[in-house]
Amino acid sequence: MNTSQRPTSRMPVRALKIMATSRMHTMSTAPLLVFLAIGVRAEVLLGGPITDVEVLLIPRSVSDGPDFVPNPADLPTAMSSLDRTLMAVFVLEIWMSDVGATNTGIVAAYFNVQWNTVIPIVAQPIDNSLPTLNHSSLYGGFLSGTEDNALGRATDFGGSDFTFSGLAIQPAYVRLGHIGFDAVADGMIEFSGVVGSLGVGVLGRIPESVNIAPVSLAIVPEPTSLGLISLAFVFLRRRRRERDSPR
């Protein structure tokens, strides 16, 4: 048998041998070796129609609850506005689902997230005990991600699923992680994203398109309870003066 007729089944074994020395490789190389070892390839995609992977950016006051939900109805509710006078710190969660015609599950995902550079500043989460970029326990392998406040972006934020169990198969959604923010001014924050340089990996196929829906969050210093009471007191005093004033 010549070399061109050798069984292709030997290729994963060679890839697995490469994995044994993956500690010597950089973060950008290691996830790709994992995909090759199981016949999965990662591809950099810049968005488009929803055909394979859907990604949701969900702003919340705090990240809690399970990292897996069985149906879209179980997803956390996204905030549309934030009262900065009550709480300026919030998080942006990243959820994803394999919605392709063939559902095999997402084994790794890395995204670039952008935001306005004036209004929010990436900061510690509310309890100030965790890093700014928080990864889900379900994607705890080959963790990656850096933030740049000046440019307003987090780069290659994500991780890999070492169990290769095929997570986030439609209609289920899985939380990749969340980013902590501190709103320092009033206005509208626009969040958007693209697939990072480390790509998105699904079991046994190449994702043809990844859709990352943008989201907005209004930062408005709405009247607090004390402020409303003060306004009511001023109004009552004005009505009393008008009533008692001579006509």
Side-chain angles (χ1 to χ4, degrees):
M1 179 183 296
N2 59 40
T3 56
S4 63
Q5 295 176 324
R6 289 179 180 175
T8 57
S9 60
R10 294 186 181 181
M11 291 303 296
V13 176
R14 184 171 181 270
L16 286 171
K17 290 181 180 179
I18 296 175
M19 283 182 60
T21 59
S22 62
R23 290 185 179 180
M24 295 185 294
H25 295 271
T26 63
M27 284 291 295
S28 62
T29 304
L32 299 181
L33 294 177
V34 174
F35 303 153
L36 290 172
I38 59 172
V40 177
R41 289 180 290 176
E43 184 174 87
V44 176
L45 304 166
L46 300 179
I50 301 175
T51 57
D52 269 305
V53 177
E54 181 179 22
V55 181
L56 301 178
L57 305 177
I58 301 181
R60 303 181 64 193
S61 58
V62 62
S63 184
D64 57 9
D67 291 326
F68 170 90
V69 295
N71 296 286
D74 301 314
L75 284 166
T77 302
M79 293 191 307
S80 59
S81 63
L82 176 70
D83 181 358
R84 189 167 58 87
T85 61
L86 295 179
M87 180 180 293
V89 179
F90 66 97
V91 300
L92 182 74
E93 294 184 341
I94 302 174
W95 291 80
M96 56 189 183
S97 178
D98 183 351
V99 298
T102 302
N103 301 111
T104 54
I106 303 170
V107 295
Y110 299 87
F111 299 108
N112 298 338
V113 180
Q114 295 87 33
W115 58 86
N116 307 47
T117 57
V118 177
I119 298 172
I121 295 180
V122 176
Q124 295 285 358
I126 295 174
D127 61 2
N128 291 323
S129 64
L130 298 174
T132 300
L133 301 177
N134 295 269
H135 298 81
S136 163
S137 60
L138 299 178
Y139 290 89
F142 291 131
L143 300 180
S144 177
T146 58
E147 71 273 8
D148 190 320
N149 295 334
L151 296 178
R153 70 185 183 192
T155 303
D156 280 325
F157 174 52
S160 302
D161 169 29
F162 279 172
T163 68
F164 306 115
S165 55
L167 299 173
I169 297 178
Q170 189 183 36
Y173 276 80
V174 170
R175 180 167 49 201
L176 180 66
H178 69 269
I179 307 172
F181 287 91
D182 185 8
V184 297
D186 306 332
M188 184 69 69
I189 306 176
E190 304 286 345
F191 293 102
S192 62
V194 297
V195 176
S197 64
L198 302 183
V200 171
V202 293
L203 284 172
R205 71 188 206 277
I206 300 176
E208 295 182 3
S209 63
V210 176
N211 183 73
I212 306 176
V215 68
S216 301
L217 177 65
I219 305 298
V220 181
E222 301 172 356
T224 63
S225 299
L226 180 60
L228 292 175
I229 294 174
S230 300
L231 288 174
F233 182 72
V234 171
F235 176 77
L236 291 175
R237 287 188 60 184
R238 181 178 299 173
R239 289 295 300 273
R240 179 175 297 177
R241 282 200 301 266
E242 292 174 351
R243 185 191 59 188
D244 297 339
S245 62
R247 298 182 182 275

